[in-house]
Amino acid sequence: MTKQDLIDCHDRIKPFIHITPVLTSRLINEMIGAQLFFKCENFQRMGAFKMRGAANAIMQLTAEQRKNGVVTHSSGNFAQALSLAAQGLGVKAYIVMPNTAPQVKKDAVRGYGGMVIECEPTLEAREHESKNIEDQYGATFIHPSNDDQVILGQGTACMELLEAQPGLDYVATPVGGGGLIAGTALAVHYFGTNCRTIGGEPLATDDAYRSLLSGQIETNTTTNTIADGLKTQLGDRNFPIIQKHVEKIIRVTEKEIIASMRIIWERLKIVCEPSSAVAFAAVLNQKGKFNEKKIGIIISGGNVDLSHLPF
Amino acid sequence: MTKQDLIDCHDRIKPFIHITPVLTSRLINEMIGAQLFFKCENFQRMGAFKMRGAANAIMQLTAEQRKNGVVTHSSGNFAQALSLAAQGLGVKAYIVMPNTAPQVKKDAVRGYGGMVIECEPTLEAREHESKNIEDQYGATFIHPSNDDQVILGQGTACMELLEAQPGLDYVATPVGGGGLIAGTALAVHYFGTNCRTIGGEPLATDDAYRSLLSGQIETNTTTNTIADGLKTQLGDRNFPIIQKHVEKIIRVTEKEIIASMRIIWERLKIVCEPSSAVAFAAVLNQKGKFNEKKIGIIISGGNVDLSHLPF
């Protein structure tokens, strides 16, 4: 994936996304002893950066492929993103979701024009159901994070951030399936100047941290984190990019995630998901390392259930 | 107060305030059947529009007056605003607060350089204590809302909104002490084109609604509302402006305030105070009236205790 691939991708998806704002807080800067720049993808369409990758992946399909629709399995933001992007492009989206997914998430997908197909809440069941839809309708499967076109799309948030703040020393993102951090690392590599990519990961689902140590893709044995967007596993498309271009992954506790989320809500006055707070938590965790630096933080999304807040 | 007074005021305070963003939501627009433009004073310095009036009031003092400091009584946003504005201008701020005020509010005032003077939680006690400080230090008393310079300062948020969105049919604000709506009504009068000012007020503290009906300043008998910034009374400086320039005040229930606040948090992904949601609640309450109109909404502030949310 080249610099030109990223530029072309950004130009391609621009009509379907918002150029999101970058916020700062004097009090947060004083707290860290650094300058932080928060790229607010919680203000993105459907409330998360996932819109970028979904739009790019569908736009790279042939006319024939588009006619037959797209399919993914997700109960999170990618389900909504693929539905909304597909709707905007006149493409049918089949979304395989576990029958245990909250009604509000199914409704959100349907609200964006996606067709919900329910299955048993196991990996086997959802892969089987996705395969069924591919076979039955000729729909193209699009993975939420382990897909080159999705990775490129997610990288465009960091391109915008570096355009707004060219002098960044670091860009930090949360790490879940690895699509956001891989795209970000490519953007930092091609558009940054002495800039490095840092990941934040919950201790409970630290597959990326352990994979970097061992040199092969490790799996999570639990998904016991409040950061519900970060329970997914690294893939073989994004892992090599992370190995090559990410300086470090910093692990944080659940307590640190909640405290960081609270600081973002209180100081920046924005609503972000627990997953979004993990990158800031990583910087807070090792603030000595970041002293007097300029740090970009990708606030990944803002879809949170206000009835079940951790504070 | 003239058009030129507002222009001069805005020029004067610009170095001390943020030009806050205007946000929109396609889903909220569909819900109302109108175009809404939210002026986000929750992103203002210290988290509320009050910074504008406080800065202007202090800047209008003579060098001699500034030397002796300023005093106000407030346990809300104006306490923090006067402290921060005074700090930026090298002026001492004495803040009279009830001894029942939460520790976090006293700490916030001190964090902005204000000196907290505690008193019994009665109107008499706080007025007595303020008078003491005026006498003892020669400090100038600045009222949180019933002061011409404060009213002008608060009007500058609407000036910015009308500059960003010149074609607005309505601008809606919450009504508490009356400083924000009076300043807004002046800005709408001088800078709007066929634009009208609307107020939102909690049913529990509907002194402004009743005052407009009776033609004289009415008082509240209860302060039983979640909109803690709107418990204060109209004054003799702002009431005549409201009589002359405000089209209508719409009253809303506590349930409507909470539901509106939730919509703002969920759809705009921003943290706002219950008081801030009252203007949007008013538009939602009478949405037929606003069909296909362009409506500006002043989101007044974002200082909220995340441990005590109504949802």
Side-chain angles (χ1 to χ4, degrees):
Chain A
M1 289 180 251
T2 66
K3 185 173 185 174
Q4 193 59 44
D5 287 339
L6 273 168
I7 293 169
D8 291 345
C9 168
H10 198 214
D11 288 343
R12 192 183 298 132
I13 66 174
K14 263 183 192 159
F16 298 94
I17 61 167
H18 294 322
I19 306 291
T20 52
V22 177
L23 298 184
T24 61
S25 159
R26 195 177 52 87
L27 285 163
I28 289 179
N29 288 348
E30 284 173 8
M31 184 185 296
I32 310 278
Q35 283 179 270
L36 272 65
F37 300 89
F38 294 87
K39 173 70 171 168
C40 291
E41 288 292 296
N42 54 329
F43 294 146
Q44 187 52 265
R45 291 187 68 198
M46 54 63 55
F49 72 94
K50 298 268 182 185
M51 185 63 191
R52 298 172 181 267
N56 190 50
I58 300 176
M59 292 180 87
Q60 291 294 75
L61 300 180
T62 64
E64 181 67 20
Q65 287 174 311
R66 290 196 200 190
K67 219 177 56 193
N68 294 330
V70 290
V71 55
T72 196
H73 46 67
S74 162
S75 57
N77 284 327
F78 195 73
Q80 295 180 46
L82 197 71
S83 301
L84 182 59
Q87 187 180 52
L89 290 157
V91 173
K92 189 145 196 171
Y94 303 93
I95 312 293
V96 178
M97 296 179 94
N99 50 25
T100 51
Q103 189 61 36
V104 61
K105 297 216 169 192
K106 296 177 201 164
D107 290 346
V109 165
R110 292 193 186 105
Y112 290 130
M115 173 175 278
V116 174
I117 294 99
E118 296 190 40
C119 69
E120 293 301 310
T122 65
L123 181 63
E124 294 70 35
R126 71 187 192 187
E127 286 183 346
H128 180 256
E129 199 54 49
S130 298
K131 192 75 181 52
N132 264 357
I133 289 160
E134 287 180 74
D135 293 344
Q136 194 174 342
Y137 301 105
T140 304
F141 179 74
I142 298 181
H143 192 279
S145 55
N146 198 39
D147 176 302
D148 287 3
Q149 298 306 324
V150 170
I151 291 167
L152 284 171
Q154 316 309 31
T156 60
C158 180
M159 285 172 69
E160 292 170 16
L161 174 58
L162 285 166
E163 199 177 323
Q165 292 295 334
L168 294 180
D169 299 301
Y170 293 97
V171 177
T173 80
V175 185
L180 177 62
I181 195 164
T184 300
L186 289 174
V188 163
H189 174 66
Y190 290 126
F191 300 96
T193 310
N194 296 321
C195 182
R196 282 154 289 176
T197 304
I198 296 282
E201 197 172 34
L203 262 165
T205 58
D206 63 347
D207 57 321
Y209 175 86
R210 286 182 287 107
S211 301
L212 281 186
L213 278 186
S214 72
Q216 61 185 33
I217 295 178
E218 304 289 340
T219 56
N220 293 317
T221 50
T222 71
T223 56
N224 191 20
T225 175
I226 191 178
D228 54 344
L230 308 184
K231 294 179 177 184
T232 43
Q233 294 282 157
L234 280 192
D236 60 351
R237 299 304 307 165
N238 46 51
F239 180 54
I241 301 170
I242 295 169
Q243 277 186 303
K244 191 166 174 193
H245 293 298
V246 171
E247 182 182 280
K248 190 176 185 179
I249 290 178
I250 297 166
R251 295 178 300 170
V252 293
T253 64
E254 296 301 297
K255 213 171 151 183
E256 288 176 293
I257 297 170
I258 294 167
S260 299
M261 180 170 160
R262 185 165 187 146
I263 293 170
I264 293 169
W265 287 44
E266 283 182 342
R267 295 304 176 186
L268 292 178
K269 312 293 183 193
I270 62 173
V271 170
C272 75
E273 301 171 4
S275 306
S276 287
V278 171
F280 175 57
V283 172
L284 203 55
N285 175 290
Q286 301 201 3
K287 66 180 184 176
K289 173 181 172 68
F290 300 105
N291 195 33
E292 307 222 336
K293 300 295 184 191
K294 291 186 181 175
I295 308 152
I297 308 261
I298 313 263
I299 298 286
S300 50
N303 293 331
V304 60
D305 182 352
L306 294 177
S307 300
H308 295 93
L309 293 177
F311 34 70
Chain B
M1 288 180 252
T2 67
K3 185 172 184 174
Q4 193 60 44
D5 287 339
L6 273 169
I7 294 169
D8 292 344
C9 168
H10 198 214
D11 289 342
R12 193 183 298 133
I13 66 174
K14 263 183 193 160
F16 298 94
I17 60 167
H18 293 322
I19 307 291
T20 52
V22 177
L23 297 184
T24 61
S25 159
R26 195 177 52 88
L27 285 163
I28 289 179
N29 288 348
E30 283 173 10
M31 184 184 298
I32 310 279
Q35 283 179 270
L36 272 65
F37 301 90
F38 294 87
K39 173 70 172 169
C40 292
E41 288 293 297
N42 55 329
F43 294 146
Q44 187 51 266
R45 290 186 68 198
M46 53 63 57
F49 72 94
K50 298 267 181 184
M51 185 63 191
R52 297 172 181 270
N56 190 50
I58 300 176
M59 292 180 87
Q60 290 294 74
L61 300 181
T62 64
E64 181 67 21
Q65 287 174 312
R66 291 196 199 190
K67 219 177 57 193
N68 294 329
V70 291
V71 56
T72 196
H73 46 66
S74 162
S75 56
N77 284 327
F78 195 74
Q80 294 180 45
L82 197 70
S83 301
L84 182 59
Q87 186 180 52
L89 290 157
V91 172
K92 189 147 196 171
Y94 304 92
I95 312 295
V96 177
M97 297 179 94
N99 50 25
T100 52
Q103 189 61 38
V104 62
K105 297 216 169 191
K106 296 177 201 165
D107 290 346
V109 165
R110 292 194 186 105
Y112 290 131
M115 175 177 278
V116 174
I117 294 100
E118 297 190 38
C119 69
E120 293 300 310
T122 66
L123 180 62
E124 294 71 34
R126 71 188 190 185
E127 287 182 346
H128 181 256
E129 199 55 49
S130 300
K131 193 73 182 55
N132 263 357
I133 290 160
E134 287 179 73
D135 293 344
Q136 195 175 342
Y137 302 105
T140 303
F141 179 74
I142 297 180
H143 192 279
S145 55
N146 199 39
D147 176 301
D148 287 4
Q149 298 307 324
V150 170
I151 292 168
L152 284 171
Q154 318 308 32
T156 60
C158 180
M159 285 172 69
E160 292 170 14
L161 174 58
L162 285 165
E163 199 178 323
Q165 292 294 333
L168 295 180
D169 300 299
Y170 293 97
V171 177
T173 80
V175 185
L180 177 62
I181 194 163
T184 301
L186 289 174
V188 164
H189 174 66
Y190 290 125
F191 299 97
T193 309
N194 296 320
C195 183
R196 283 154 288 178
T197 304
I198 296 282
E201 196 173 33
L203 262 165
T205 58
D206 64 347
D207 57 322
Y209 175 87
R210 287 183 286 107
S211 301
L212 281 186
L213 278 184
S214 72
Q216 61 185 34
I217 295 178
E218 303 289 341
T219 54
N220 293 317
T221 51
T222 71
T223 56
N224 192 18
T225 175
I226 191 178
D228 56 343
L230 308 183
K231 295 179 176 184
T232 43
Q233 294 282 155
L234 280 192
D236 60 350
R237 298 306 306 166
N238 46 52
F239 180 53
I241 302 170
I242 295 169
Q243 276 186 302
K244 192 165 174 193
H245 294 297
V246 171
E247 183 182 279
K248 190 176 186 178
I249 290 178
I250 297 166
R251 296 178 298 170
V252 293
T253 64
E254 297 300 297
K255 212 169 150 184
E256 288 176 294
I257 296 170
I258 293 167
S260 299
M261 180 171 160
R262 186 165 186 146
I263 293 169
I264 293 170
W265 287 45
E266 283 182 341
R267 296 304 175 186
L268 292 177
K269 312 292 183 194
I270 62 172
V271 170
C272 74
E273 300 171 5
S275 306
S276 286
V278 171
F280 175 57
V283 172
L284 203 55
N285 177 290
Q286 301 201 2
K287 65 180 184 176
K289 173 181 171 66
F290 300 106
N291 195 31
E292 308 224 335
K293 300 294 184 191
K294 290 186 181 174
I295 308 151
I297 309 261
I298 313 262
I299 298 286
S300 49
N303 292 330
V304 60
D305 182 352
L306 294 177
S307 301
H308 295 92
L309 294 177
F311 35 70

